[in-house]
Every structure is written in structure tokens, then in C-alpha cells.
Amino acid sequence: MPLYTKCCNCGIRIPYRTKRCDKCQTEWNRQREVYRNEDIKRFRSSSAWARKSKQILKDNNYQCEMCKDKGVITVATEVHHIISLSIDFNKRLEDDNLIALCESCHDDIHRE
């Protein structure tokens, strides 16, 4: 009898000793390629990004904007680019392209 486990991303049943279903693995590979981009790597560790992400969190009172829309108050710990860096790198520090999120909502966005 074959053994199964769950995809670490979406939770569907997959063969034992695999981490992700085919769909999630494809997305994970795509994201990995994005993070290999040197400009994006340098930007994510820059002082400009550290300052901007702190400012966005502070401006939103450290509250997750998606949870707030649902009427729930959750601590925001991450800042998300609405338009991905790989799509438009020039919007990397624009306030209207950044949103304060909790870890759970940020993971949900990237799963979609």
C-alpha cells in the first residue's frame, strides 16, 4: 500500500517523500528564479528597503491590512509588494505598492 503525505503549501495529498504537489513545485521554482535575480537580492538586504518597510509598518500601526478588512486586528510583521519586484522593479519603494501584512496573510497571497 503506497504512503502519502500532504503538500507543504496547499495541503493536497501527494506521494510520501515529496514536499510539494506539481503545481506548488512549479510556483516554488518560479519564485526561486526571481530571488536569484541579483538586483532583487541586493535590494532586499539594502538599508533603503529596511527603512521603507519599517515606515510602512509604522504608518499602518503594525496592523495587518487584510485582517483589518475582515474586522480582525492582527500584528503585521511583513511588508508585501503588490506589484512584484520581478514585474516592475521601479515600484520597489512606492508607498502605494506596499502593504503591511501578518505572516499568515502574506503566505496566503503567495500561495495564490
Side-chain angles (χ1 to χ4, degrees), residues 48-68:
W49 174 240
R51 281 191 307 274
K52 179 55 86 172
S53 59
K54 281 181 187 175
Q55 175 215 324
I56 295 297
L57 290 169
K58 188 176 179 180
D59 290 351
N60 288 285
N61 298 316
Y62 294 90
Q63 294 178 354
C64 174
E65 293 186 45
M66 284 179 63
C67 288
K68 202 183 327 179

Side-chain angles (χ1 to χ4, degrees), residues 9 15 32 47 68 89 91 95 108:
N9 235 20
R32 193 173 67 192
S47 58
K68 202 183 327 179
F89 189 70
K91 293 188 177 200
D95 288 353
D108 289 346

Side-chain angles (χ1 to χ4, degrees), residues 75-90:
V75 175
T77 56
E78 303 178 10
V79 176
H80 173 71
H81 287 89
I82 298 166
I83 297 173
S84 170
L85 295 173
S86 60
I87 293 171
D88 191 350
F89 189 70
N90 294 323

